[in-house]
Amino acid sequence: MENIILLKGKVKFPITLDPGVWIFDDRKKELHEFFSNEKIVTDDLESYTKAVSEHWDREIREGAIVPPTLKTEKVFKKQQVLNGTFGISFHHFLKNASPAEEATIIKVITTEGAHTFQLKEAENFILCFSRDGKPLKEDGPVHLYLKDGSNRKHPIKNVKAFEIE
């Protein structure tokens, strides 16, 4: 139970969060991806055309590649999971909890005390749950980062609950 985080308070649906299973969640990202300032704007048709062109060019140069490359891709993804530092956006969980309309404050409760934020700021929370492929056991289960990177060197650690007021 020490790795369970509660999302409670003025919400329609209180949620119990288990960071141990987020490694299987498709919404997770490498932590550094959250802080990259590059906003990539793509045209879907243009990106599709480029991808098809690259594939065509490669087949002309190298010949068709048969599926055994899928095995190496799986090995690469497994290595990435075993060695990666991952985070997930908090807004997914906040949306599912359905905060009450009158709620304006969120308290991040840690073993050292509570940190208070405006509820709007919670949309920009990032929960880091894995460092170098291992769960955060000593000062976890999650570290809380702000999406703007202002606390990147000193995240909020030992998070035990989120309380919406």
Side-chain angles (χ1 to χ4, degrees), residues 18-35 80-81 83-93 124-136 141-147 152 155:
D18 183 0
V21 299
W22 294 347
I23 197 70
F24 304 110
D25 197 316
D26 291 336
R27 299 171 295 185
K28 76 178 180 304
K29 293 183 189 176
E30 282 277 348
L31 190 62
H32 66 83
E33 290 179 37
F34 287 104
F35 301 115
Q80 186 182 24
V81 167
N83 299 320
T85 299
F86 293 102
I88 192 166
S89 291
F90 180 69
H91 78 272
H92 302 296
F93 308 114
N124 296 317
F125 288 177
I126 299 163
L127 304 177
C128 176
F129 61 90
S130 166
R131 181 160 316 282
D132 300 326
K134 295 177 180 48
L136 305 173
V142 297
H143 295 172
L144 187 141
Y145 291 89
L146 301 175
K147 201 173 263 183
R152 193 168 182 186

Side-chain angles (χ1 to χ4, degrees), residues 25-163:
D25 197 316
D26 291 336
R27 299 171 295 185
K28 76 178 180 304
K29 293 183 189 176
E30 282 277 348
L31 190 62
H32 66 83
E33 290 179 37
F34 287 104
F35 301 115
S36 67
N37 292 331
E38 298 175 14
K39 299 289 182 199
I40 301 172
V41 179
T42 59
D43 177 17
D44 290 337
L45 179 61
E46 182 180 341
S47 60
Y48 172 76
T49 305
K50 284 183 182 180
V52 169
S53 298
E54 287 173 13
H55 180 73
W56 177 260
D57 290 345
R58 189 180 78 208
E59 281 196 7
I60 296 295
R61 283 191 313 268
E62 302 170 7
I65 298 176
V66 289
T69 60
L70 295 176
K71 290 180 183 176
T72 58
E73 289 175 17
K74 286 180 184 177
V75 169
F76 174 75
K77 288 190 181 214
K78 183 178 177 183
Q79 285 300 108
Q80 186 182 24
V81 167
L82 293 175
N83 299 320
T85 299
F86 293 102
I88 192 166
S89 291
F90 180 69
H91 78 272
H92 302 296
F93 308 114
L94 186 62
K95 184 174 111 180
N96 288 339
S98 298
E101 289 183 24
E102 69 271 8
T104 58
I105 302 284
I106 184 166
K107 283 187 179 177
V108 180
I109 300 167
T110 68
T111 54
E112 289 84 36
H115 302 268
T116 305
F117 295 92
Q118 292 296 317
L119 188 57
K120 290 181 239 170
E121 294 178 77
E123 292 285 326
N124 296 317
F125 288 177
I126 299 163
L127 304 177
C128 176
F129 61 90
S130 166
R131 181 160 316 282
D132 300 326
K134 295 177 180 48
L136 305 173
K137 291 189 178 182
E138 292 80 37
D139 53 3
V142 297
H143 295 172
L144 187 141
Y145 291 89
L146 301 175
K147 201 173 263 183
D148 65 4
S150 60
N151 71 335
R152 193 168 182 186
K153 298 285 184 200
H154 303 288
I156 298 172
K157 299 179 180 180
N158 298 304
V159 176
K160 298 299 175 199
F162 296 96
E163 188 168 350

